[in-house]
Amino acid sequence: MDDTQEFNPKDLPSYPKHTDFKDLSTKAVEKRIDLTPEAYVEDLDKFHPFASRPGWNDDAKARKVNVAINQYRIKVAKLPTIFQYNLDVSPNPDANVVFRKCWENPTLQAHMKQFKTPEGKSGDWLYDGGKILWSRNDIGNQAVKKQIDLRENEDGSRGKPQPLFITITKTKQLNLEAINAYLAGKMGWDNVVLETITFLDQVFRAGPTRVFGFIANKRTLIHPQSSESMPLNALTEAIKGIYSAIRLNSSNITGGQGLGVNVDVANNTYFIGQNMAQLARHLVINLCPNVGPHKPDEFFQFVKPVQDKNGKWGMSAGLKALRRLTNLRFRVTHRGKKDKNGNLIPSPIYRVKGVVFEPKYGQEGASAKKVTFQRKEFNEATQEITTSEMSIYDFYELHYKKRLRLWQLPLIETNKAGYFPMELCEVERFCPYPFKLDGDMTTKMLRFAVQAPKERKMQIEKMVAQLQWGNDRFLKQFGIQMDSTMPKVEARVIPNPGISFGNKIVNPGVSGRWDLRGLKFIEPNPQPLKSWGICVTQDCCDQPTVAAFYKNWSNIYKGHGGRIQNDPIIFRAQGSQYTEVVQNAWHTVGKKFNANPQIIFFILKDKSAWYYERLKRSSDCRYAMPTQMLNLQQVRKGQAQYCSNVCLKVNAKLGGCTAVAVKTQAGQPLKPNSVAPHFDNTPTMFIGADVSHGAAGHLSPSVAAMTVSMDKAATKYAAGAQTNGWRVEIIQPYNMMQMLQPMIKQWRQRNGTFPKRVFYMRDGVSEGQYAHVMQHEFPAMKKAFEAAMTSEKAAAPLFTIIIATKRHHIRFFPDSNVADKNGNALPGTLVEREVTHPFQYDFYLCSHVAIKGTARPVHYTVLHDEVKLPPAKLQEMIYHQCYQYVRSTTPVSLHPAVYYAHLVSNRARPHEMGLFTDRVPEDVKHGILRAALGNYAKLQKARKARQKDSQTSQSDERDKICPKLMPLGREAKPGAKEAFEAGMWFV
């Protein structure tokens, strides 16, 4: 129907029929609420429950201390009568934004004011942005039906009205008893619990957003005036928001309700609100180093299409950079409507679908003068509708009297509103910047975000005051009270271990660090250094400097017990390509000593990740040759601390062991590879697993990595890595089998038996993926053990599955007498109550010393426990092994198995077949990325062919296949690969 056609009431749809209330979607609320793991399980009846807490840490040696926690208690004695309603609209909208406009319609709002609470008062309505309403107001047993027009408040609107029919139906009455029963372990998770939690979340958001002027972005609240901000560049800004999320917790055990609000500082990066053309210019300058000085009106030349060797027009680097504008919110400046009172109505908010590009527009690209459309006009003289082709440029000049100044720029496309010229679009503030920050932005962000514990605590308390819980009319109306005092909970400090070196045991105490001077490795490199060299790349260093560094380093290495038989050959790199550099280095060292190179040191002139990765890629994948990269500036300084740190890495790569954590804090040192400190003679294996993903906007596949402890004291680790699909977090079964089975057999060869106990330490998964770990990764792991142990008919080991994550906002603020010099919790601080799950097996452990800022404890969750160590022993074991991280003279924050898996997943990036790297230098980027994109296109084509030929669903594992990593040691000589894998090549 044309807009000029008269509106006919017969065209109206009927009122929507009442729809039964559908269960809330977990995905719809997980962005705002910290849900428990079982909330994500699709079929709880078939799912084996997660492990329950077997008890508490009762070790008398772990002293009790008090720490403040940034989770505030919710005090709800009993909810008043609260009704839940369904909002239905006809015709059925295809987006939630239409539902919101319907609910906010003045006619409907005026109509809803007639309904009162059971006490006869006018209550507020809460709305979830979709189809659910809550209120103490009672509409009775009959549904509310109302016709509205979304254009009724506009003055002089053209065309027909937009009539919609609204039906509001009461669906149920909320009951807090379901949450209380769940917290007490008397009932499982169900939709009633989710509904009540969702309602509480809406109550806590209503006051800040509807009264106090905050803007909500998932779990973060930002105040346009009072939130602290700092520009990172002309494109982005950092903003301190308020992280606020409701959590179910174990405070019901210690006198609380079992409900809390986690409040923390949220440091996030956002696009700076500005004109779209200006933002696009800053974006291209930031991402494309080849963009030289130019005037703003000359910017268009950097986003023009480019022609390939076949004459086809494609996207230039600048045009590709503009793809980062996708999903940005913006308003337009060329038009505006007025309401009945003459007030200007702000332009609607649109979202960028993309920047327009089509090869048919040629060299000029999709500019306002090139892009045309068919414009219809009604000719009053002939009473006919005529059609003519018109450019976007001419349309704006004719219709809006706007002569476009930057018409050469590509147009912005939206999902429903068509095309807009960039210069007429104003980007809204607080649009998240989801991409990886560059080095300069990262440095500024760290300066902005890092806060000492005392400062962070004061900031959180200030933010709690800004939320004004005591003055929040919504909280009062629904009978909710808050304790605005940061609660103090009982914690324990687990005694630190002793560190057993080759010549003595060191007691670091609560300082969390020790000095390597005078200490010998508990196990030096098994084979003395005979065949090795130092290669100077890019002529960055002279011979005397290298010789002086070697002399200093070798003395320190020997002082730590390292074994050196021959001096290295020192030489300059030969070859223009880095594959040639490694190849020539390998041949030079091998020819000099007539043996496989044991290790080669490369001196690099800067910290370029690209050159580092290329050297590692060629060394690992061609020759299985350990390498050690040296920074030129550090080589020139030759400081003892740097030399000792290099010694730690080199000794581990050559198969040695630095030290072992032991309970005994004084006495004789252990012998190498002696009994495991925590398991006596029970053979025990630790497996670490992590999956890393490519940066947003890049083609890099996900990389799964697994590490396996190889000795009884769990100090040496073997590792494997493989691509895992695109953005796939759960390790695929075939990857689990391929990586784990060889390492199990290797463990058997080294230890003379199979393990009796296996601890699977998993990193990087959220609560929503815990069930996936149990349903997919755990069965695949058991199959790998079965396949490896079949020949000897050995009994299956006992498994304990533990998730380790740092992606949370819980922080410890200890009293000054139990804090380190920076005010952080002491290493070994353990919290089991108040912030943990009401009945599942989890705890927070701070095992490290934070150099800057506020320490973030690790949240450990035991999903499955067959080993059944007492809690005190399990927690002590995890904490003590954090002192065995091979590259550090301090305990680390994560269990080493997990830490190493994280290292491996990133260290294996250079092994990618297609080299999908986001760190390619500009001078070689074009050729490398062209090859990568070509590989990706071939894979996608093959993938589509498989889907066409196969009758299986798209969820089949074959649908997730992506290029494999290059194998290690393709050109290695006999024995080289085995020696390489025997050492910790990834550290």
Side-chain angles (χ1 to χ4, degrees):
M1 184 183 293
D2 186 75
D3 283 352
T4 59
Q5 191 171 338
E6 185 178 357
F7 169 67
N8 186 346
K10 293 182 179 179
D11 294 328
L12 286 175
S14 59
Y15 281 107
K17 296 180 180 180
H18 162 62
T19 57
D20 292 333
F21 176 75
K22 295 182 179 179
D23 287 352
L24 277 172
S25 168
T26 299
K27 291 184 178 180
V29 297
E30 67 175 342
K31 294 180 179 180
R32 304 189 309 270
I33 306 171
D34 272 344
L35 296 174
T36 58
E38 62 267 46
Y40 301 90
V41 180
E42 295 181 1
D43 192 346
L44 283 168
D45 293 333
K46 296 181 180 179
F47 180 74
H48 190 276
F50 298 114
S52 297
R53 181 178 288 106
W56 310 96
N57 188 313
D58 56 1
D59 185 1
K61 296 180 181 179
R63 62 187 174 116
K64 297 180 180 179
V65 297
N66 289 324
V67 297
I69 303 286
N70 60 331
Q71 178 183 271
Y72 295 81
R73 287 188 175 186
I74 299 175
K75 298 188 292 186
V76 187
K78 185 179 180 181
L79 286 178
T81 302
I82 300 170
F83 302 102
Q84 184 168 294
Y85 298 93
N86 239 28
L87 172 69
D88 289 290
V89 179
S90 179
N92 188 37
D94 58 358
N96 279 349
V97 65
V98 181
F99 280 99
R100 181 176 289 280
K101 287 181 178 179
C102 290
W103 171 247
E104 294 174 351
N105 180 267
T107 297
L108 181 60
Q109 287 295 309
H111 183 72
M112 299 304 291
K113 288 182 179 178
Q114 65 179 296
F115 301 109
K116 308 295 181 184
T117 68
E119 295 82 16
K121 298 179 180 180
S122 294
D124 286 299
W125 291 84
L126 298 179
Y127 175 56
D128 77 336
K131 298 183 65 174
I132 303 176
L133 302 165
W134 296 272
S135 181
R136 295 204 61 226
N137 298 325
D138 189 358
I139 68 171
N141 296 325
Q142 297 297 320
V144 172
K145 296 186 178 183
K146 191 68 179 175
Q147 177 185 340
I148 64 170
D149 181 5
L150 292 184
R151 307 178 93 178
E152 67 180 82
N153 196 40
E154 298 175 3
D155 183 35
S157 58
R158 299 171 64 247
K160 67 177 183 180
Q162 293 183 351
L164 293 170
F165 288 80
I166 311 298
T167 299
I168 297 175
T169 312
K170 185 192 300 183
T171 56
K172 62 184 63 180
Q173 183 174 328
L174 293 187
N175 188 349
L176 190 63
E177 291 306 313
I179 287 185
N180 293 334
Y182 170 76
L183 292 170
K186 297 179 180 178
M187 66 173 284
W189 181 272
D190 67 6
N191 203 62
V192 177
V193 180
L194 181 60
E195 290 165 3
T196 310
I197 291 294
T198 306
F199 160 73
L200 291 173
D201 172 68
Q202 293 295 332
V203 175
F204 276 91
R205 289 177 176 271
T209 56
R210 291 169 59 174
V211 180
F212 305 138
F214 284 88
I215 297 171
N217 180 17
K218 297 181 181 177
R219 303 182 189 185
T220 302
L221 297 170
I222 304 170
H223 198 283
Q225 284 76 45
S226 62
S227 290
E228 184 182 348
S229 64
M230 183 188 76
L232 300 180
N233 51 27
L235 178 71
T236 57
E237 63 180 336
I239 299 179
K240 284 188 190 297
I242 303 176
Y243 176 90
S244 176
I246 288 182
R247 304 179 78 241
L248 295 172
N249 56 66
S250 57
S251 63
N252 58 322
I253 300 172
T254 53
Q257 186 78 29
L259 294 167
V261 179
N262 184 194
V263 180
D264 193 21
V265 182
N267 297 292
N268 294 311
T269 310
Y270 299 87
F271 284 97
I272 294 176
Q274 56 189 302
N275 181 267
M276 183 77 77
Q278 179 176 294
L279 185 143
R281 178 170 174 258
H282 293 317
L283 181 62
V284 172
I285 291 173
N286 183 259
L287 294 179
C288 302
N290 61 329
V291 175
H294 64 276
K295 298 178 180 178
D297 57 359
E298 297 173 345
F299 163 60
F300 70 91
Q301 63 186 308
F302 298 104
V303 292
K304 281 187 173 182
V306 292
Q307 203 168 19
D308 64 15
K309 61 182 180 180
N310 298 320
K312 294 182 179 180
W313 292 100
M315 299 181 77
S316 62
L319 199 53
K320 290 177 181 177
L322 295 185
R323 290 184 294 197
R324 292 196 175 190
L325 300 176
T326 303
N327 285 327
L328 281 186
R329 302 187 305 274
F330 69 93
R331 297 180 189 269
V332 294
T333 60
H334 62 280
R335 67 187 184 201
K337 298 179 180 179
K338 294 183 178 180
D339 61 18
K340 294 178 180 179
N341 299 321
N343 300 317
L344 186 67
I345 301 175
S347 152
I349 294 179
Y350 302 99
R351 279 191 182 270
V352 178
K353 180 182 179 182
V355 177
V356 182
F357 167 76
E358 288 187 38
K360 68 179 182 181
Y361 294 121
Q363 183 178 7
E364 191 174 308
S367 67
K369 287 188 177 181
K370 273 285 187 179
V371 178
T372 61
F373 69 102
Q374 298 296 317
R375 184 170 185 262
K376 295 181 180 180
E377 289 185 284
F378 181 71
N379 191 319
E380 294 185 0
T382 63
Q383 295 293 302
E384 294 179 353
I385 296 176
T386 60
T387 302
S388 61
E389 187 173 14
M390 177 175 286
S391 70
I392 300 294
Y393 179 91
D394 293 335
F395 173 77
Y396 276 89
E397 186 173 20
L398 176 68
H399 194 71
Y400 294 108
K401 311 302 180 187
K402 292 279 186 182
R403 176 167 291 184
L404 299 179
R405 186 172 58 88
L406 303 177
W407 60 267
Q408 301 100 324
L409 294 178
L411 297 170
I412 292 296
E413 183 180 7
T414 62
N415 284 316
K416 295 184 179 180
Y419 299 150
F420 291 104
M422 284 192 187
E423 65 185 274
L424 301 181
C425 303
E426 288 292 325
V427 177
E428 289 281 282
R429 199 184 175 199
F430 309 122
C431 291
Y433 181 81
F435 307 101
K436 185 177 181 179
L437 306 186
D438 63 29
D440 184 56
M441 294 167 68
T442 300
T443 300
K444 292 179 179 178
M445 185 67 176
L446 288 173
R447 290 174 187 165
F448 177 75
V450 170
Q451 290 177 299
K454 184 178 179 181
E455 296 172 1
R456 192 180 191 108
K457 184 181 180 183
M458 291 174 61
Q459 180 95 46
I460 293 171
E461 290 172 336
K462 178 182 176 182
M463 289 176 168
V464 169
Q466 289 178 318
L467 294 176
Q468 301 185 54
W469 287 330
N471 300 323
D472 192 324
R473 77 166 194 262
F474 295 94
L475 296 182
K476 292 179 179 178
Q477 186 176 149
F478 293 103
I480 299 172
Q481 294 181 345
M482 286 297 301
D483 187 344
S484 297
T485 303
M486 191 176 288
K488 286 193 174 183
V489 302
E490 181 185 283
R492 286 181 180 268
V493 179
I494 302 172
N496 64 277
I499 315 299
S500 181
F501 285 88
N503 54 336
K504 66 177 179 179
I505 293 179
V506 176
N507 179 10
V510 294
S511 67
R513 60 183 67 252
W514 54 94
D515 195 331
L516 281 178
R517 285 177 294 186
L519 299 177
K520 294 185 179 293
F521 300 136
I522 194 171
E523 184 179 354
N525 48 315
Q527 299 297 323
L529 277 173
K530 300 178 183 178
S531 175
W532 64 302
I534 301 177
C535 178
V536 180
T537 66
Q538 299 172 298
D539 288 326
C540 65
C541 193
D542 56 66
Q543 184 84 4
T545 301
V546 179
F549 173 81
Y550 163 66
K551 182 178 180 181
N552 189 24
W553 180 85
S554 62
N555 288 334
I556 293 175
Y557 188 57
K558 291 176 182 177
H560 292 316
R563 302 165 65 195
I564 300 177
Q565 181 171 321
N566 297 330
D567 289 337
I569 177 174
I570 299 174
F571 58 97
R572 297 188 179 279
Q574 299 176 3
S576 57
Q577 299 296 323
Y578 284 85
T579 53
E580 296 175 1
V581 170
V582 174
Q583 179 178 333
N584 291 330
W586 185 79
H587 281 296
T588 299
V589 175
K591 185 177 180 180
K592 168 68 176 177
F593 297 103
N594 195 29
N596 283 336
Q598 292 169 282
I599 190 169
I600 297 180
F601 290 18
F602 288 91
I603 300 177
L604 309 181
K605 71 174 183 178
D606 54 34
K607 296 182 179 180
S608 169
W610 164 253
Y611 301 124
Y612 172 93
E613 289 181 351
R614 291 291 285 178
L615 291 173
K616 288 290 186 182
R617 170 189 172 101
S618 187
S619 302
D620 298 345
C621 299
R622 294 182 66 185
Y623 304 112
M625 176 181 67
T627 55
Q628 179 59 50
M629 305 301 165
L630 302 175
N631 179 265
L632 173 61
Q633 301 303 321
Q634 297 294 345
V635 169
R636 287 174 175 167
K637 294 176 183 178
Q639 293 178 342
Q641 182 64 50
Y642 178 75
C643 290
S644 282
N645 290 339
V646 173
C647 290
L648 292 175
K649 296 182 180 181
V650 170
N651 192 58
K653 291 174 182 178
L654 296 177
C657 172
T658 304
V660 176
V662 294
K663 281 190 175 183
T664 306
Q665 296 186 10
Q668 296 300 316
L670 297 178
K671 294 180 180 179
N673 202 28
S674 59
V675 296
H678 291 276
F679 299 107
D680 301 324
N681 290 314
T682 306
T684 303
M685 174 190 287
F686 289 85
I687 301 174
D690 187 26
V691 177
S692 67
H693 306 287
H698 292 273
L699 296 175
S700 294
S702 302
V703 174
M706 300 190 75
T707 59
V708 174
S709 64
M710 284 291 159
D711 60 330
K712 294 179 180 179
T715 59
K716 299 179 182 179
Y717 280 79
Q722 192 52 266
T723 55
N724 199 56
W726 279 275
R727 313 302 297 183
V728 178
E729 178 59 47
I730 299 302
I731 299 176
Q732 299 299 313
Y734 51 82
N735 278 341
M736 181 77 74
M737 182 69 73
Q738 176 187 341
M739 290 188 289
L740 189 55
Q741 187 178 349
M743 290 190 284
I744 298 171
K745 293 180 179 179
Q746 188 179 349
W747 201 96
R748 166 69 177 83
Q749 292 173 357
R750 289 198 187 185
N751 294 277
T753 183
F754 285 107
K756 303 298 182 185
R757 293 169 171 170
V758 174
F759 287 88
Y760 182 58
M761 313 292 292
R762 184 63 160 91
D763 183 28
V765 293
S766 64
E767 284 85 349
Q769 296 164 324
Y770 287 4
H772 296 160
V773 171
M774 293 300 301
Q775 292 169 335
H776 302 290
E777 291 187 2
F778 184 31
M781 181 169 57
K782 289 196 292 186
K783 287 182 179 179
F785 272 89
E786 290 173 4
M789 301 167 72
T790 299
S791 60
E792 298 187 26
K793 298 181 180 180
L798 301 175
F799 293 95
T800 289
I801 314 295
I802 302 175
I803 306 293
T805 181
K806 297 180 73 175
R807 295 177 184 175
H808 61 80
H809 281 266
I810 296 297
R811 298 292 184 273
F812 299 166
F813 300 98
D815 295 337
S816 58
N817 61 329
V818 289
D820 66 13
K821 62 181 181 179
N822 297 322
N824 277 305
L826 296 173
T829 300
L830 168 77
V831 172
E832 298 178 282
R833 294 174 171 84
E834 188 73 29
V835 291
T836 51
H837 192 279
F839 48 83
Q840 289 176 10
Y841 193 1
D842 67 329
F843 52 90
Y844 289 83
L845 177 62
C846 184
S847 58
H848 69 300
V849 175
I851 299 174
K852 290 184 178 180
T854 305
R856 186 194 312 232
V858 175
H859 184 205
Y860 291 98
T861 302
V862 182
L863 298 187
H864 181 75
D865 188 18
E866 296 175 4
V867 177
K868 297 191 182 303
L869 285 181
K873 192 168 185 179
L874 176 70
Q875 292 154 0
E876 182 186 61
M877 175 202 73
I878 291 175
Y879 172 50
H880 283 190
Q881 289 197 2
C882 290
Y883 283 75
Q884 296 185 161
Y885 184 65
V886 74
R887 302 200 315 185
S888 176
T889 55
T890 63
V892 289
S893 58
L894 276 168
H895 188 278
V898 178
Y899 216 127
Y900 292 142
H902 181 70
L903 281 182
V904 173
S905 65
N906 289 296
R907 179 67 173 72
R909 283 284 167 197
H911 300 174
E912 293 171 10
M913 286 283 195
L915 202 64
F916 296 97
T917 181
D918 57 347
R919 296 188 283 268
V920 184
E922 195 64 33
D923 57 346
V924 295
K925 179 180 288 187
H926 179 70
I928 292 297
L929 291 185
R930 183 172 59 186
L933 289 169
N935 289 341
Y936 181 75
K938 291 177 182 177
L939 288 162
Q940 291 294 85
K941 185 176 180 180
R943 176 183 173 186
K944 290 178 180 179
R946 285 195 306 270
Q947 291 178 355
K948 186 175 180 181
D949 296 338
S950 174
Q951 300 299 317
T952 59
S953 68
Q954 291 189 1
S955 62
D956 191 274
E957 285 183 359
R958 286 172 292 177
D959 190 47
K960 301 182 179 66
I961 291 177
C962 64
K964 298 294 185 182
L965 296 178
M966 296 177 67
L968 298 174
R970 292 176 302 161
E971 302 175 30
K973 290 188 175 181
K977 185 177 180 182
E978 291 76 12
F980 182 78
E981 293 177 337
M984 297 175 66
W985 54 270
F986 47 86
V987 298

